[in-house]
Amino acid sequence: MRFALLPTKPLALAKTRLAPHLTDVDRRSVALAMFHDVLECLIEAPSVDVVAVVTCDPMLIGLADSRGTFVVDERAPQGLNGAAALGTRACLGRGATSVLIVLSDLPRISVDEVEALYAELPAGPHVRLVRSHEGLGTNALFRRPPEVVPTRFGGRSFQGHLDAASAAGTSVDVLDLPGIGFDVDTVADLQALTHTFRPSRTLAAAQRICLTPAGPI
C-alpha cells in the first residue's frame, strides 16, 4: 500500500515568517489554502493508495476527514520530524509498504509531479527526494520501506536526508520537480505565484489580500 503523508502545523502556528507582513487572519487563510491545494492533489494522484494527514488543528482535521483521508490526531504540536514519525508509524499500522511525505506549503504541486515520484522506482529499499527551491531543504521524501531512514526535516535537510540514506546503505535519487520544489516562506514567494499557469486556492487567497495581481492566469 502506497501512502502519502501530509504533516501540518496548526494554522495559528503556520507560516510565522509571514506574520510581519500579513494579519493573523490573512496568514491563516494562506496556510489553509495551501494545505487544501496539496491535500486535493494527493487525493487525485492515481499512484497514491491512501492519503494520511497528521495535525492537531481541529479545522484541518475536519477538512481532511471530510475528504475521506486517514487522519492522525497529533494532540499537540511535535515538530515536523515528530509528526512525520507519528504519521509513519500510523501508516505502517495500516499496511503501508511505502510512505511519501509531502510538505503542506507547496501551492504549485501537481498530480503529474506526484506521479513522477512513483515512476521508474528501482527494486528494493529506496529513498527519493525533491529539494526546496532555495536548495537546502526537502519538500518531498519518498521512503520504501517507510522507516528505511529517519527524517531530517529542518535547516539543511536535503543533505541530511542524503547522508541518512548513505548511512543506511539505501539507494537514493533526486528529482527536479519545480512545482513541488516551490515552497512558500516569504511574501515574495506568494507574489511569485503570478507566474503559475493554473488557478489554485492559494493564488486566490493571495489575490484577495492584494499580494498578486487579480485577473486571468
Side-chain angles (χ1 to χ4, degrees), residues 58-133:
M59 181 180 291
L60 300 182
I61 288 173
L63 174 58
D65 188 60
S66 73
R67 297 295 289 117
T69 66
F70 172 38
V71 179
V72 180
D73 189 344
E74 194 180 12
R75 304 295 181 186
Q78 300 182 30
L80 184 50
N81 289 303
L86 176 66
T88 298
R89 290 193 298 270
C91 293
L92 280 166
R94 292 287 188 100
T97 55
S98 67
V99 171
L100 168 65
I101 300 175
V102 178
L103 302 191
S104 63
D105 60 346
L106 311 178
R108 287 182 176 171
I109 191 172
S110 68
V111 170
D112 286 346
E113 287 195 343
V114 174
E115 289 298 289
L117 284 163
Y118 289 93
E120 300 179 357
L121 285 165
H126 190 65
V127 171
R128 177 166 280 178
L129 303 170
V130 181
R131 77 177 82 197
S132 57
H133 64 101

Side-chain angles (χ1 to χ4, degrees), residues 13-191:
L13 302 178
K15 298 292 107 186
T16 54
R17 288 177 60 183
L18 296 175
H21 310 285
L22 305 181
T23 67
D24 284 346
V25 171
D26 287 340
R27 178 177 54 81
R28 289 194 295 267
S29 175
V30 167
L32 175 60
M34 289 192 291
F35 171 82
H36 207 156
D37 285 334
V38 177
L39 178 68
E40 292 296 331
C41 181
L42 295 176
I43 289 171
E44 293 170 9
S47 292
V48 175
D49 296 315
V50 180
V51 177
V53 172
V54 182
T55 188
C56 61
D57 188 290
M59 181 180 291
L60 300 182
I61 288 173
L63 174 58
D65 188 60
S66 73
R67 297 295 289 117
T69 66
F70 172 38
V71 179
V72 180
D73 189 344
E74 194 180 12
R75 304 295 181 186
Q78 300 182 30
L80 184 50
N81 289 303
L86 176 66
T88 298
R89 290 193 298 270
C91 293
L92 280 166
R94 292 287 188 100
T97 55
S98 67
V99 171
L100 168 65
I101 300 175
V102 178
L103 302 191
S104 63
D105 60 346
L106 311 178
R108 287 182 176 171
I109 191 172
S110 68
V111 170
D112 286 346
E113 287 195 343
V114 174
E115 289 298 289
L117 284 163
Y118 289 93
E120 300 179 357
L121 285 165
H126 190 65
V127 171
R128 177 166 280 178
L129 303 170
V130 181
R131 77 177 82 197
S132 57
H133 64 101
E134 98 293 340
L136 301 178
T138 306
N139 285 1
L141 169 65
F142 172 89
R143 294 180 296 169
R144 187 188 63 209
E147 293 183 315
V148 65
V149 296
T151 64
R152 294 286 186 264
F153 290 107
R156 298 175 179 270
S157 67
F158 177 73
Q159 187 60 50
H161 286 128
L162 288 177
D163 292 344
S166 176
T170 302
S171 66
V172 58
D173 61 6
V174 179
L175 297 190
D176 180 17
L177 300 174
I180 291 176
F182 181 82
D183 54 312
V184 170
D185 284 316
T186 67
V187 169
D189 293 332
L190 281 174
Q191 292 170 332

